[in-house]
Amino acid sequence: MKKASLVGMALIGMTMALQAGAEEVILAEGFEAADNFKTENGYKCTDIKIRADKDEFQEGNGALRIAWTSSDASGAFSLSREVKPLDITGKVFSFMVMSPDGKVMNVGIEFYDSSGKRADEYRQYNISGAGQWTNVKFTQGKAERGQWRREIKEQSGDPTKVTRITFRAQTKESNQTAELILDDFKITSEEVKK
């Protein structure tokens, strides 16, 4: 094939990628190890355990498996990671989750700014059945069907100065131990406008 044809094909490929919504990856997090994460018992959570899972994962060499127990109501855990200051305004963020036992009611993500104030918060309720992966995907500033976004009005954090990202999940019932596998977190550039 001639050089001009190859250049032409490359330009067509680039144009198609831009039209299809190609995104720049701003932050990518593999979950091969639990070392850089802080866990906390959330609402009605009595116990939380975290470990690397080398058998079930979506990218890299592993994922994080979190197990937690609820008390007298459905219980939630939180898993946090500090990041360098980041502007999430209009960005798309996604991660993969699996509920091996089907006991997870919802998963969520929260963003906190450098002063510790919550800058944004999302929940996803339509999680796939036991043993199936769900791609949780949000665009900052809006929520789609099956998703929930908190409107933070008073003392809201600054989405242009995010320094902590927190993942959450909640059991379906009280007095229940649930598991969640978390993998392949990404923040990408703004959606391409059509």
Side-chain angles (χ1 to χ4, degrees):
M1 194 178 290
K2 294 184 178 180
K3 186 176 180 182
S5 297
L6 290 172
V7 170
M9 288 177 64
L11 288 173
I12 289 168
M14 287 171 54
T15 303
M16 288 173 64
L18 288 172
Q19 290 171 346
E23 300 167 318
E24 171 195 2
V25 176
I26 293 163
L27 178 68
E29 174 67 62
F31 291 97
E32 282 90 16
D35 301 345
N36 297 320
F37 294 91
K38 177 184 174 188
T39 58
E40 286 184 38
N41 289 342
Y43 178 76
K44 300 292 186 178
C45 178
T46 60
D47 185 34
I48 181 172
K49 293 180 177 71
I50 181 173
R51 68 176 175 86
D53 189 324
K54 302 297 183 183
D55 297 319
E56 289 282 356
F57 58 91
Q58 285 291 293
E59 66 82 39
N61 298 312
L64 287 184
R65 184 180 287 254
I66 304 106
W68 72 106
T69 303
S70 60
S71 60
D72 59 346
S74 59
F77 76 86
S78 67
L79 176 73
S80 298
R81 172 78 186 260
E82 302 293 323
V83 295
K84 293 180 181 176
L86 183 64
D87 181 358
I88 65 166
T89 308
K91 303 298 187 288
V92 177
F93 42 96
S94 64
F95 53 98
M96 298 296 292
V97 294
M98 180 199 287
S99 173
D101 50 20
K103 296 178 182 176
V104 177
M105 178 169 63
N106 66 65
V107 295
I109 188 167
E110 299 171 2
F111 297 93
Y112 293 86
D113 71 9
S114 53
S115 65
K117 294 179 183 174
R118 187 168 33 211
D120 222 330
E121 174 181 4
Y122 296 82
R123 297 285 183 271
Q124 173 111 12
Y125 288 92
N126 49 351
I127 305 301
S128 296
Q132 298 176 18
W133 287 98
T134 300
N135 183 7
V136 178
K137 189 170 186 177
F138 296 100
T139 299
Q140 192 276 330
K142 66 179 187 178
E144 306 288 332
R145 186 175 184 181
Q147 301 173 348
W148 172 85
R149 176 177 179 255
R150 180 189 303 249
E151 289 291 339
I152 303 168
K153 295 184 172 110
E154 295 179 10
Q155 296 198 330
S156 61
D158 186 346
T160 68
K161 297 178 182 174
V162 167
T163 57
R164 179 166 48 105
I165 300 171
T166 299
F167 299 91
R168 298 175 52 84
Q170 190 169 0
T171 62
K172 286 184 175 178
E173 299 175 11
S174 60
N175 302 305
Q176 186 177 57
T177 297
E179 283 192 320
L180 182 77
I181 302 175
L182 177 64
D183 200 14
D184 196 20
F185 173 67
K186 289 186 183 74
I187 298 179
T188 53
S189 58
E190 295 181 41
E191 290 181 310
V192 175
K193 307 295 186 273
K194 294 182 180 178

